[in-house]
Amino acid sequence: MEKERKIKVLSLVALIVAVLGLTVAFAALSQTLTITGFSGMAQEDWDIRIQGDDKFHEKYAASNQTFECTFCKDAMTTGKLNLNVGENFDTLSGFEFLLEKPGDFGVISFYVANYGDIDAKLEQIISNKPVCTSETGNEEDAKLVCDNLVINYGYPKENIPADQFGKWSEIIETFKEGEVLPGNHTTNSLYFEKRHVIMVVELNKNLEVLPTSKVTVSNLGFTLKYVQK
C-alpha cells in the first residue's frame, strides 16, 4: 500500500516537472519566433527610395544616379546631373541654381519609389538651408536673394513642350507630409508604387528690389523621412 502511494507521488511529480519543462520551452520558442519574424519583415519588406527615373532598379543599386535639372548651374546644356541619394536612398543634394531677377527659377525632378510591401507615410520633408553667393561678391545681393527664395515640392504637369519652359515649374498638386506611398500588395514581385515629384526654387516674382548681380544658390537639397503607416 505504502509502496503504491510512493509510486503515485513520484509519477505526479514527474508529470508536473514535464509540464513545466514544456511550458518554458514553448515560451522560449514563441519569443524566438516573434523576434525573428519582426526582424525579417523590417529588413526585407521596407524599401523606400529617391531615384532619377521611373524605371525599376534592382535592390541595392548604386546610389549615384542621373536626375533631370532645369536651369541647374552645372547642367545648363544637358539638363542632367549625376547626384548621390545617400546610403539610405532618402537624401538628394549637390545641385545649385543661378538666379538674377524676380521669377527666375530652377527645378530638380525626381521619383520616390516603394519597393517593399509595407505602406509608407511621408512624415517629414527636411530641406537644407540654402547658401547664396553673388558673382561679384556683393553680400547685399546674396542676402536679398536668400531672404526671398520660395521653395515648393509638388507633382508637375507632364509632357510640357520645350518652348513653354515657363510652365516647367508649375505644380498641379503639393507634395506634402502625411501622404501615403502604398507598398506592393500584388503577386508581381517587380511591381512598385512611384511618385514623380519636383522641387522648385524660385526668386519671389513679387520682389520689388532687384539684385545688381547674378547669385548662385547652393547647398540645396532635402531628406524625405518616411515611416510605416
Side-chain angles (χ1 to χ4, degrees):
M1 185 76 175
E2 180 65 22
K3 184 177 181 181
E4 290 181 1
R5 191 176 68 81
K6 287 183 178 180
I7 292 175
K8 289 181 179 180
V9 170
L10 290 174
S11 299
L12 181 59
V13 171
L15 179 61
I16 292 174
V17 171
V19 170
L20 288 175
L22 287 173
T23 302
V24 172
F26 180 75
L29 178 60
S30 297
Q31 184 180 20
T32 302
L33 288 175
T34 300
I35 294 172
T36 303
F38 179 80
S39 177
M41 180 184 70
Q43 290 179 357
E44 296 182 8
D45 297 337
W46 180 264
D47 192 4
I48 312 297
R49 301 186 189 191
I50 294 173
Q51 58 188 49
D53 57 41
D54 62 349
K55 304 297 186 297
F56 178 86
H57 292 282
E58 291 185 3
K59 228 172 187 181
Y60 311 118
S63 58
N64 190 290
Q65 299 181 32
T66 301
F67 292 81
E68 290 188 4
C69 196
T70 305
F71 301 135
C72 272
K73 184 177 180 182
D74 296 326
M76 297 297 287
T77 303
T78 63
K80 296 183 182 297
L81 279 179
N82 287 328
L83 301 173
N84 196 299
V85 293
E87 183 180 352
N88 297 319
F89 298 92
D90 61 354
T91 299
L92 187 61
S93 61
F95 53 96
E96 53 189 34
F97 300 120
L98 189 63
L99 306 179
E100 182 178 14
K101 59 184 183 299
D104 281 358
F105 65 86
V107 178
I108 185 77
S109 172
F110 62 96
Y111 288 82
V112 186
N114 186 349
Y115 287 110
D117 57 17
I118 300 175
D119 294 345
K121 182 176 72 173
L122 180 60
E123 183 179 63
Q124 190 177 12
I125 303 174
I126 305 170
S127 298
N128 295 354
K129 183 178 180 180
V131 173
C132 298
T133 307
S134 165
E135 283 193 335
T136 62
N138 190 317
E139 294 183 2
E140 291 185 1
D141 281 352
K143 185 177 186 306
L144 178 66
V145 169
C146 258
D147 288 348
N148 289 277
L149 288 177
V150 180
I151 299 177
N152 288 304
Y153 299 85
Y155 300 109
K157 289 185 175 180
E158 303 288 354
N159 303 316
I160 299 174
D163 60 348
Q164 298 181 23
F165 65 87
K167 295 184 178 180
W168 293 349
S169 64
E170 289 188 13
I171 289 175
I172 298 175
E173 185 180 350
T174 302
F175 177 64
K176 55 186 180 299
E177 295 164 356
E179 291 190 21
V180 174
L181 186 60
N184 181 5
H185 302 298
T186 73
T187 57
N188 181 0
S189 62
L190 297 182
Y191 174 82
F192 66 102
E193 285 283 340
K194 61 183 181 294
R195 300 288 184 268
H196 182 201
V197 185
I198 57 175
M199 174 191 186
V200 181
V201 180
E202 181 180 18
L203 182 56
N204 193 333
K205 62 182 64 176
N206 297 318
L207 183 64
E208 295 181 355
V209 180
L210 304 180
T212 60
S213 60
K214 294 181 180 180
V215 174
T216 297
V217 183
S218 59
N219 196 46
L220 292 167
F222 55 87
T223 298
L224 302 181
K225 183 179 179 182
Y226 277 89
V227 295
Q228 185 172 339
K229 179 179 178 296

